[in-house]
Amino acid sequence: MRKSSRIVIFAVGFSLLTALVLHLVSGDYIFIPRKKASADQITAGVKETDNSIARLVRISGAIEPGNVEVQILFLNPLSNLKEGNLVFRLSLNTLNVNLKNYDITRNVIFEDSRGTKITSGFKWKETHNLDYRHIMGILTVFDPGEQKALPAGKIKWIKLILNGIPDIRKREFLWKLIG
Amino acid sequence: MKKPGKNKLITVNPSIHTYRRIPIIALLLCLSLVSASLFIYQVTLTRVFSPMLRYHYVFLVTSMAIFGLGIGGYISYRLACRKRKTTSALRLPEWLMILAASYILSFSLIYKLPFINFYAVYSVIGALPFLAGGVFISMVFKIFSEQSYKLYFADLLGAGLGSVTVVFSLNQWGPVNTVLIAIGFTVISSLILSFYLPDKKEMAVPISLAVILGLAGIYQPGIRQFEERFTGYFTSPLTSLSNFRSDNIAHSLLDWNWDAYSRTDLINIPTFRQGRIVSIDGGSNSEMIRFDGDLSKINGLKRDLNYLPFETGSNRKTLLIGPGGGKDILLAILAGSTDIQAVEINRGSVRMAQKYASYNDGIYNRKEVTLHVQDGRNFVKQAPAGSYDLIYLAQVMTDATETVGFALAENFIYTKEAIRDYWKALDDQGRLAFILHDEKDMTRLLLTIKESLADMGISEEQFRKRLILVNRRMPGASSQTISMPLLMVRKSPFTSKEAAKLFQLIKSGRHTPIYIPYVTGDKFWANLKQFRIAAGKLKFTKRMNFTPTSDNKPYFYDFESSINISLLIILAGVILIALLFFKPAFRKIALKRSPYYFIGLGLGFMLIEIPLIQKFTLFLGHPTRSFIVVLVALLSGGGAGSLAGGWKRFNLNRRYLPLILVPLFAPLVFMLINTIINNWQITSLELRVLVSFGLLLPLGFFMGMPFPHGIKTLNLVKKENAVPLMWGINGIMSVGGSVLAVIISMKIGFSFSIAAGALIYLVLFLFMPLYEKKWEPVL
């Protein structure tokens, strides 16, 4: 058999097999809604499994009310804190407010239990934007304290305040240390 | 003309001799089928991308994929340059099997893989078949370059066949079956070519694939299941489904259908008890209201702002443009309309509403309703003067990309000429009502109406007495936010008494008046002139474009004053490929001038074709119909022209005469179609199709001649090796031409695109870059 014939047989076989496998692993469209968290419910935290590592767990911050739904996830496992940067994932969803002109870095305030208050120097990296109505991104807070880190035990809580989002002008998100 | 088999071969591939056994008729048939299959796949790809991606990205991704054709030409050239072992070199039928395999692979990956947020990957996957097809076609043109006129005839005829097949097949059988047809065409071609070659064993692979795909095609439940599991769309973050997911709204996909115009979904949201959502191409939504014939159960709809236009006068004769899932029809029935003309461009929405007739009480089949599946503007043009009490357009916008991207994505319903047509179709007390999206489209439409009425002798002051603007009050939204506002204009001015009454009605309905004559909104005009609507929402107006739209430039939703970045990326891609791949190759074979001939043809053809498809939409009444008629007319005309292109009298003093006929015919056709649209009313569809063919065939006839003439010339000067390159650069520039056509049409107008195309043909005629100076003794 010519080499070219073998190439053709391989190409055809590979394509058919790929189509079949992809079809078998694909599924129908199903969406199961997430359980809606209440304001007091613990909704976010670190995913460390080691119980010896203290963790900050968000204990307040309404996610539903208002015409813009705001969800914040604190991404830092405490053991990985480097150079004092705190990283949050923010998700803003709305049906009727255009967030094009909303500058997160100018409207956010960070506070912690040591009295640190940061009002500027935030970094915002947008990871998703649909029509300025569904926005997701990473907010980095630089150097929140003298220690350039948040060692367990030295800090009791951190807070993010988002100002200026229509309807509810001030939204607070509080994380407390547990464990 | 030389007979095949008598030519001296100069190529390095020894297997080429064997291709001389293939009868020319069989070869032409194969080329037609392959060309048809590539065209079918191109359109299907666009269709499949439309629900997944934003529509300008669909154009970007598909255009990039079609670069594959041009690059295929380059690959073909490189392969011919290499001295290969004959056992490893793929032969023509084998390239076709590679093409068939790449259709399967490419389509499966795009359709079934989870959404890839890096669009270049889609371009690469989509390009696979075009690469293989490009290699095949350019090889054929090279091997049989002395038959270039016939080959080009077959190529264009195939594309014409493809345009008819793909629309019919998408409408009837959906995208998966359509791709199967494309594969079938390719496999048949491979079988035919193998039959005439010495080694008959090679027929085993195409026969096997034909059997497998034939069985798959027969088992339609399996095809339906394959089609149902559209993972790329399900996981795309750019769809309504995705919005519901991110908003954590429980929902399910009840049903879907495909046609050549769109994918239409029916979505059930349990918390939305009133009805279901009909979604076009994953982005443009309308409501299908639950209805059992008892109007008292849907009285709540009267509180909706959308109902307000029905409360402002008589509704006996109502024209609804884009009623989608049927909610607008219910509003009209609630308001007592007894004669409702429902004009819906998307057949899928109507099919969905009719399929679920038990849910919506057969809304489109009610005695008050007359359904028309066509472009709303075209319908209004045919309407007698003074026909309607109310013309109502609620958020008429399709996110449907249609078959050639931007070219058909916009419509003619928001242009100055459209306003004039609506005005004419209204009776003396008639109202024209629009439900819009936000401050952007509201501003542009206001300015468009103002200018259109000014053209009819209605001053700004008089216009203001006819206008009402009302904002929708959204739960939790700031009062400054303009959200789905109502813009209504009445043919006769409102009196101060009527306006006061209207103001009370609006207030009692808890809506927010923006402008009511004599009552409120005087500041609004001052703000409008400075584009400061809704507390500085439009403060970036310097970078935005709100100029009134016209039939010559109907891109209503193009608010960018600069050129869309996606289009610039494609243009950059065109230039980059030309410089990186083709320029060094041309230098190597010492061709300096002739590439510009093929570059010019690629650009010129598309600069003329794209605006014609757009313009004929207005005449023929539906973009899909326009797509078929214009392409079939131009391509079949071009095919015929290609056959006649070798006539010696076309060569005059080393110039090729058809090149000067194109710049004469193209503007003429454009002017004639404009005249017909503006001055004649041709109600018979058959006659309109006939007129279209009458106008386009002669133009296509002359447009089909220059390309094969160029190939034939290369053959005469023994430059067959350059044929794949020329074919490739022409294909690449066709993509560039279509992008340029869109840019020019969007920013200046269709007429300028036609003029640019005509100018290119004129330059080609005057300078004839086809002929290198050193060829003079041969020619």
Side-chain angles (χ1 to χ4, degrees):
Chain A
M1 185 185 281
R2 283 162 48 90
K3 192 178 170 186
S4 62
S5 300
R6 288 202 294 272
I7 294 172
V8 169
I9 291 169
F10 172 78
V12 171
F14 177 75
S15 303
L16 285 171
L17 194 66
T18 305
L20 188 66
V21 170
L22 284 173
H23 175 58
L24 291 176
V25 298
S26 64
D28 296 340
Y29 183 78
I30 297 168
F31 174 69
I32 300 165
R34 302 178 296 277
K35 283 188 178 175
K36 292 190 177 180
S38 68
D40 299 327
Q41 197 176 347
I42 294 169
T43 58
V46 285
K47 292 180 180 175
E48 294 292 332
T49 51
D50 184 349
N51 289 333
S52 66
I53 296 173
R55 56 190 76 180
L56 284 167
V57 177
R58 197 176 100 200
I59 62 159
S60 79
I63 62 165
E64 288 300 332
N67 51 4
V68 181
E69 178 195 289
V70 182
Q71 294 192 35
I72 305 186
L73 200 63
F74 178 50
L75 294 180
N76 293 71
L78 293 189
S79 56
N80 285 346
L81 280 180
K82 287 173 185 169
E83 297 174 5
N85 298 345
L86 301 184
V87 184
F88 301 86
R89 194 188 78 178
L90 269 72
S91 167
L92 291 87
N93 291 293
T94 174
L95 290 175
N96 49 27
V97 179
N98 188 338
L99 295 165
K100 185 173 184 176
N101 298 329
Y102 182 67
D103 183 349
I104 288 171
T105 59
R106 289 185 176 195
N107 287 289
V108 66
I109 296 170
F110 173 84
E111 292 174 6
D112 70 21
S113 57
R114 293 168 299 184
T116 310
K117 184 172 181 178
I118 299 174
T119 56
S120 61
F122 300 98
K123 183 184 168 192
W124 170 249
K125 188 182 178 190
E126 201 170 85
T127 56
H128 170 70
N129 186 340
L130 179 61
D131 285 347
Y132 297 99
R133 286 181 166 80
H134 300 276
I135 295 174
M136 196 181 282
I138 303 294
L139 180 79
T140 308
V141 183
F142 292 98
D143 298 333
E146 296 162 3
Q147 306 295 321
K148 296 194 172 183
L150 285 178
K154 285 199 173 181
I155 193 157
K156 292 191 167 49
W157 55 263
I158 61 172
K159 187 192 281 182
L160 267 188
I161 302 167
L162 282 181
N163 290 321
I165 298 178
D167 202 19
I168 300 175
R169 295 277 164 184
K170 184 174 178 182
R171 299 170 190 239
E172 290 190 359
F173 299 83
L174 177 67
W175 286 261
K176 273 193 175 177
L177 191 73
I178 61 166
Chain B
M1 193 165 281
K2 290 176 187 175
K3 289 181 182 173
K6 289 188 177 178
N7 293 327
K8 186 184 174 187
L9 295 170
I10 60 161
T11 49
V12 294
N13 187 344
S15 66
I16 283 172
H17 294 286
T18 59
Y19 298 133
R20 298 293 171 185
R21 299 162 180 240
I22 303 167
I24 188 69
I25 192 77
L27 185 77
L28 296 181
L29 176 64
C30 292
L31 187 60
S32 287
L33 288 175
V34 172
S35 178
S37 79
L38 285 167
F39 196 91
I40 289 169
Y41 191 68
Q42 177 195 335
V43 175
T44 311
L45 205 59
T46 313
R47 189 87 301 290
V48 167
F49 279 139
S50 294
M52 291 167 61
L53 309 173
R54 299 254 131 204
Y55 71 93
H56 42 280
Y57 286 114
V58 175
F59 190 58
L60 171 71
V61 169
T62 315
S63 300
M64 292 292 199
I66 299 166
F67 280 160
L69 273 179
I71 296 172
Y74 178 77
I75 292 172
S76 171
Y77 163 77
R78 296 293 302 173
L79 288 175
C81 291
R82 286 169 54 193
K83 292 183 177 176
R84 300 154 298 165
K85 292 177 184 173
T86 53
T87 54
S88 64
L90 290 167
R91 304 196 301 174
L92 284 181
E94 291 171 334
W95 273 112
L96 289 182
M97 290 315 296
I98 295 288
L99 173 60
S102 59
Y103 281 138
I104 299 168
L105 187 66
S106 168
F107 185 76
S108 305
L109 290 174
I110 289 165
Y111 205 84
K112 293 291 182 181
L113 280 183
F115 183 81
I116 302 163
N117 206 7
F118 186 54
Y119 297 165
V121 176
Y122 283 125
S123 293
V124 172
I125 298 171
L128 294 175
F130 297 102
L131 276 172
V135 172
F136 172 81
I137 296 177
S138 56
M139 276 174 80
V140 169
F141 268 93
K142 181 192 146 196
I143 297 166
F144 300 93
S145 55
E146 80 283 356
Q147 302 279 1
S148 62
Y149 292 109
K150 289 179 185 169
L151 293 180
Y152 198 56
F153 161 75
D155 189 16
L156 294 186
L157 207 66
L161 169 73
S163 66
V164 177
T165 309
V166 70
V167 170
F168 181 79
S169 176
L170 282 171
N171 284 340
Q172 296 296 321
W173 304 308
V176 178
N177 282 313
T178 304
V179 173
L180 280 182
I181 289 171
I183 299 169
F185 281 2
T186 313
V187 172
I188 290 168
S189 302
S190 180
L191 272 173
I192 293 172
L193 291 184
S194 305
F195 180 77
Y196 289 105
L197 295 180
D199 191 359
K200 295 284 186 291
K201 284 179 192 167
E202 287 193 10
M203 293 175 73
V205 182
I207 288 173
S208 308
L209 185 59
V211 171
I212 292 169
L213 295 177
L215 289 173
I218 290 168
Y219 184 60
Q220 280 297 310
I223 296 289
R224 176 82 180 163
Q225 192 191 50
F226 191 98
E227 197 169 280
E228 184 175 0
R229 298 176 181 179
F230 187 3
T231 313
Y233 170 57
F234 292 165
T235 52
S236 166
L238 310 169
T239 61
S240 297
L241 291 176
S242 165
N243 290 347
F244 296 141
R245 285 197 301 274
S246 57
D247 291 344
N248 203 26
I249 296 171
H251 64 282
S252 57
L253 183 60
L254 285 184
D255 203 352
W256 86 100
N257 66 49
W258 285 93
D259 60 32
Y261 186 75
S262 69
R263 174 189 164 103
T264 307
D265 289 338
L266 185 65
I267 301 166
N268 184 42
I269 299 175
T271 49
F272 177 55
R273 294 190 183 88
Q274 205 178 354
R276 291 167 176 168
I277 305 293
V278 176
S279 179
I280 302 171
D281 269 349
S284 183
N285 297 339
S286 62
E287 294 170 22
M288 183 193 288
I289 303 293
R290 186 198 298 270
F291 183 51
D292 61 6
D294 183 356
L295 288 172
S296 65
K297 289 183 183 170
I298 54 164
N299 253 334
L301 289 176
K302 289 183 175 176
R303 290 193 294 272
D304 196 326
L305 176 62
N306 291 27
Y307 186 72
L308 188 64
F310 294 95
E311 294 185 286
T312 55
S314 165
N315 303 301
R316 199 179 64 78
K317 290 188 80 174
T318 306
L319 169 61
L320 305 174
I321 295 179
K327 179 183 172 183
D328 301 349
I329 300 176
L330 271 185
L331 294 178
I333 293 171
L334 266 177
S337 292
T338 50
D339 180 354
I340 302 168
Q341 302 295 317
V343 186
E344 175 56 57
I345 198 169
N346 182 41
R347 189 182 300 274
S349 301
V350 176
R351 276 162 63 186
M352 200 60 87
Q354 287 175 334
K355 186 172 177 183
Y356 290 86
S358 59
Y359 184 84
N360 57 43
D361 197 40
I363 191 75
Y364 277 102
N365 303 328
R366 289 181 66 94
K367 64 178 190 311
E368 304 96 326
V369 181
T370 311
L371 170 67
H372 309 268
V373 179
Q374 71 180 89
D375 175 51
R377 170 70 189 288
N378 179 265
F379 182 84
V380 171
K381 277 197 82 66
Q382 311 290 337
S387 301
Y388 298 104
D389 298 312
L390 174 65
I391 298 178
Y392 182 85
L393 303 93
Q395 293 184 314
V396 182
M397 174 197 183
T398 63
D399 274 353
T401 309
E402 255 301 324
T403 38
V404 278
F406 265 122
L408 297 179
E410 298 294 346
N411 49 55
F412 292 91
I413 57 169
Y414 295 117
T415 64
K416 286 193 291 181
E417 294 86 346
I419 303 298
R420 189 191 61 203
D421 291 341
Y422 299 141
W423 206 253
K424 194 181 120 218
L426 286 172
D427 70 14
D428 290 342
Q429 292 288 314
R431 292 99 66 213
L432 173 61
F434 298 87
I435 303 291
L436 301 160
H437 295 84
D438 52 28
E439 66 277 6
K440 290 203 299 288
D441 54 356
M442 185 183 83
T443 304
R444 181 168 236 171
L445 186 60
L446 261 177
L447 297 174
T448 305
I449 296 175
K450 186 163 87 72
E451 202 164 301
S452 181
L453 294 191
D455 291 346
M456 288 186 265
I458 298 172
S459 67
E460 181 181 320
E461 195 185 343
Q462 290 171 318
F463 167 47
R464 285 169 60 174
K465 288 180 183 170
R466 291 165 161 85
L467 170 76
I468 67 162
L469 270 172
V470 187
N471 196 11
R472 189 176 305 261
R473 184 166 288 177
M474 300 296 284
S478 147
S479 60
Q480 301 287 347
T481 307
I482 290 186
S483 189
M484 293 184 273
L486 162 71
L487 188 163
M488 194 175 83
V489 194
R490 200 169 78 170
K491 205 164 175 181
S492 59
F494 288 105
T495 62
S496 56
K497 201 173 168 186
E498 283 174 327
K501 199 174 160 191
L502 206 54
F503 182 74
Q504 287 308 319
L505 184 70
I506 292 163
K507 284 300 219 185
S508 66
R510 295 186 178 179
H511 309 302
T512 312
I514 300 172
Y515 179 82
I516 308 290
Y518 317 104
V519 183
T520 184
D522 281 344
K523 267 188 180 176
F524 172 80
W525 283 99
N527 287 336
L528 176 71
K529 285 178 179 170
Q530 297 171 48
F531 299 110
R532 270 198 282 135
I533 297 174
K537 283 280 179 199
L538 298 174
K539 64 183 177 183
F540 296 113
T541 45
K542 282 185 182 167
R543 280 185 277 145
M544 295 180 87
N545 171 26
F546 292 110
T547 49
T549 47
S550 67
D551 280 356
N552 195 39
K553 201 174 67 170
Y555 292 87
F556 184 79
Y557 287 101
D558 171 38
F559 295 109
E560 296 177 54
S561 54
S562 54
I563 297 168
N564 184 283
I565 189 75
S566 305
L567 299 173
L568 291 176
I569 290 172
I570 304 173
L571 270 188
V574 168
I575 295 165
L576 205 67
I577 292 172
L579 290 178
L580 281 181
F581 294 98
F582 287 88
K583 198 178 175 191
F586 287 132
R587 195 179 296 152
K588 202 172 173 183
I589 52 178
L591 290 179
K592 287 180 183 170
R593 283 166 56 87
S594 47
Y596 291 107
Y597 178 79
F598 292 94
I599 287 172
L601 290 182
L603 291 172
F605 196 102
M606 298 311 283
L607 280 165
I608 292 172
E609 182 196 88
I610 298 285
L612 283 179
I613 294 177
Q614 270 283 29
K615 202 69 199 184
F616 273 80
T617 302
L618 196 50
F619 181 57
L620 291 164
H622 200 282
T624 312
R625 192 180 297 137
S626 170
F627 173 75
I628 296 176
V629 170
V630 174
L631 282 185
V632 169
L634 281 183
L635 296 175
S636 55
S642 174
L643 281 180
W647 195 34
K648 285 180 181 172
R649 301 226 169 159
F650 282 138
N651 288 293
L652 186 72
N653 295 332
R654 297 177 54 74
R655 289 210 165 79
Y656 192 56
L657 278 180
L659 285 169
I660 188 66
L661 295 173
V662 175
L664 292 177
F665 269 89
L668 184 69
V669 170
F670 192 71
M671 279 191 296
L672 282 174
I673 192 65
N674 274 329
T675 309
I676 293 171
I677 288 169
N678 292 328
N679 301 310
W680 293 1
Q681 284 200 350
I682 305 177
T683 45
S684 158
L685 177 63
E686 291 77 10
L687 191 58
R688 275 183 276 155
V689 171
L690 214 62
V691 168
S692 304
F693 268 91
L695 288 172
L696 293 167
L697 273 173
L699 176 63
F701 185 77
F702 294 115
M703 287 172 81
M705 292 178 179
F707 181 83
H709 175 72
I711 300 290
K712 179 75 179 173
T713 306
L714 291 174
N715 174 264
L716 284 175
V717 296
K718 307 293 180 201
K719 284 282 184 187
E720 290 95 335
N721 275 353
V723 170
L725 283 177
M726 297 305 181
W727 194 86
I729 195 74
N730 182 263
I732 298 271
M733 288 302 154
S734 299
V735 178
S738 65
V739 175
L740 269 181
V742 171
I743 291 174
I744 295 172
S745 302
M746 281 175 109
K747 298 302 167 194
I748 325 178
F750 296 136
S751 52
F752 287 86
S753 178
I754 299 263
L759 187 68
I760 288 177
Y761 276 92
L762 183 67
V763 168
L764 292 181
F765 175 76
L766 291 176
F767 296 98
M768 276 315 286
L770 174 63
Y771 305 128
E772 302 279 339
K773 285 179 183 166
K774 61 190 172 189
W775 294 352
E776 281 179 18
V778 186
L779 293 169

